[in-house]
């Protein structure tokens, strides 16, 4: 999943970026409301972490602009301690959840996972496709209960496909959702990662739909 963090506190921004990357997310960051609005308006994020006290454009205004433009990604807002009016304004602008500063990073990660689960229609962090299990909480995958060693990019690819299991996902969509803004998107690494995943989880679990993309399936269901 690809996440946008809009936070002007550089130390907190770096901390969040590293924690999110450690959990297997692709992460972009913005230090003010203007840059944050632009990225959210032009890039296909799966979720956004948005501070409300931003320079140039405040967080509530940024969120209002996104929702007015039809952006539906879940947004977790960060508010100052005891500023209940900020929370109300954030929810009225279209926020999905909030955290009050200071907060524990583990709580933020848990709330973010909950938002992503609801957005993709799953009830738990563990997604199962036959004998394949993808645990988004621990950023690990298993086949028949045996842990599979994956690189961060391989896990991002598998996690995104698992969240949309059974649906054909285009090469472009995969590139947009598993790489951050600085990655070389002209490379052919999707094909490389798909090949590696097939060797690790089984060649029959990822179908190639010629001219359209890839689909993650339960091979036993395909035989039925």
């Amino acid at each position: 999943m690809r996440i946008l963090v809009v936070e002007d506190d550089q130390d907190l921004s770096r901390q969040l970026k590293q924690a999110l990357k450690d959990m297997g997310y692709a992460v972009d960051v913005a230090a003010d409301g203007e840059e944050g609005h632009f990225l959210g308006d032009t890039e296909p994020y799966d979720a956004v972490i948005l501070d409300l006290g931003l320079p140039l454009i405040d967080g509530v205004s940024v969120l209002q602009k996104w929702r007015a433009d039809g952006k539906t990604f879940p947004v977790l807002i960060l508010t100052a301690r005891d500023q209940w009016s900020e929370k109300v304004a954030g929810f009225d602008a279209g926020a999905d959840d909030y955290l009050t500063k200071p907060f524990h990073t583990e709580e933020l990660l848990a709330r973010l996972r909950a938002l992503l689960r609801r957005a993709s229609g799953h009830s738990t962090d563990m997604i199962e496709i036959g004998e394949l299990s993808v645990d988004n909480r621990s950023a690990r995958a298993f086949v028949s209960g045996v842990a599979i060693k994956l690189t961060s990019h391989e896990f991002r690819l598998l996690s995104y496909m698992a969240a949309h299991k059974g649906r054909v996902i285009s090469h472009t969509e995969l590139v947009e959702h598993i790489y951050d803004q600085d990655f070389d998107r002209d490379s052919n690494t999707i094909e490389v990662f798909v090949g590696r995943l097939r060797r690790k989880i089984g060649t029959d679990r990822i179908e190639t739909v010629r001219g359209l993309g890839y689909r993650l399936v339960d091979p036993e269901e395909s035989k039925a």
Side-chain angles (χ1 to χ4, degrees), residues 185-215:
R185 299 185 184 184
D186 292 329
S187 67
N188 294 316
T189 50
I190 290 293
E191 288 84 356
V192 173
F193 290 141
V194 167
R196 290 179 183 173
L197 277 177
R198 281 177 167 148
R199 288 194 292 273
K200 293 180 178 182
I201 69 172
T203 57
D204 53 354
R205 286 191 166 88
I206 302 178
E207 295 180 344
T208 297
V209 182
R210 190 174 299 278
L212 295 177
Y214 303 100
R215 175 167 52 206

Side-chain angles (χ1 to χ4, degrees), residues 14-76:
R14 282 193 295 268
Q15 176 187 342
L16 292 178
K17 181 175 182 178
Q18 188 58 55
L20 290 164
K21 289 178 76 70
D22 288 345
M23 293 303 299
Y25 299 109
V27 187
D28 292 330
V29 297
D32 59 67
E34 189 173 275
E35 181 184 12
H37 172 258
F38 174 77
L39 288 175
D41 205 37
T42 57
E43 298 289 338
Y45 294 103
D46 295 290
V48 175
I49 298 169
L50 176 68
D51 183 30
L52 296 188
L54 294 168
L56 300 185
I57 306 176
D58 66 272
V60 170
S61 297
V62 170
L63 183 51
Q64 288 173 332
K65 290 175 181 288
W66 283 336
R67 295 310 192 216
D69 290 338
K71 303 298 180 183
T72 59
F73 42 61
V75 175
L76 172 63

Side-chain angles (χ1 to χ4, degrees), residues 74-91:
V75 175
L76 172 63
I77 56 173
L78 306 179
T79 70
R81 179 181 292 277
D82 298 328
Q83 292 294 316
W84 63 268
S85 58
E86 280 192 349
K87 300 171 190 174
V88 172
F91 279 121

Side-chain angles (χ1 to χ4, degrees), residues 79-146:
T79 70
R81 179 181 292 277
D82 298 328
Q83 292 294 316
W84 63 268
S85 58
E86 280 192 349
K87 300 171 190 174
V88 172
F91 279 121
D92 285 345
D96 298 274
D97 199 358
Y98 79 91
L99 265 179
T100 301
K101 296 180 180 179
F103 53 81
H104 292 288
T105 303
E106 283 301 319
E107 181 179 1
L108 179 141
L109 293 173
R111 288 178 179 271
L112 179 63
R113 290 195 301 269
L115 292 179
L116 291 169
R117 286 199 306 268
R118 289 199 292 270
S120 61
H122 296 284
S123 58
T124 69
D125 290 322
M126 182 74 79
I127 302 175
E128 297 184 349
I129 308 96
E131 295 298 316
L132 171 66
S133 302
V134 181
D135 187 352
N136 288 301
R137 182 174 183 178
S138 65
R140 301 177 71 194
F142 307 83
V143 173
S144 300
V146 179

Side-chain angles (χ1 to χ4, degrees), residues 1-3 26 43-46 119-120 153 156-180 183 185 187 189-191 194 211-216:
M1 298 294 184
R2 188 175 173 199
I3 311 298
E43 298 289 338
Y45 294 103
D46 295 290
S120 61
H153 281 98
R156 288 180 194 175
L157 177 61
L158 180 60
S159 176
Y160 189 79
M161 295 184 75
H164 303 279
K165 60 183 179 181
R167 178 168 74 80
V168 178
I169 307 173
S170 70
H171 180 280
T172 299
E173 182 178 346
L174 288 171
V175 169
E176 289 177 338
H177 285 268
I178 72 169
Y179 298 134
D180 56 39
F183 193 85
R185 299 185 184 184
S187 67
T189 50
I190 290 293
E191 288 84 356
V194 167
L212 295 177
Y214 303 100
R215 175 167 52 206
L216 186 67

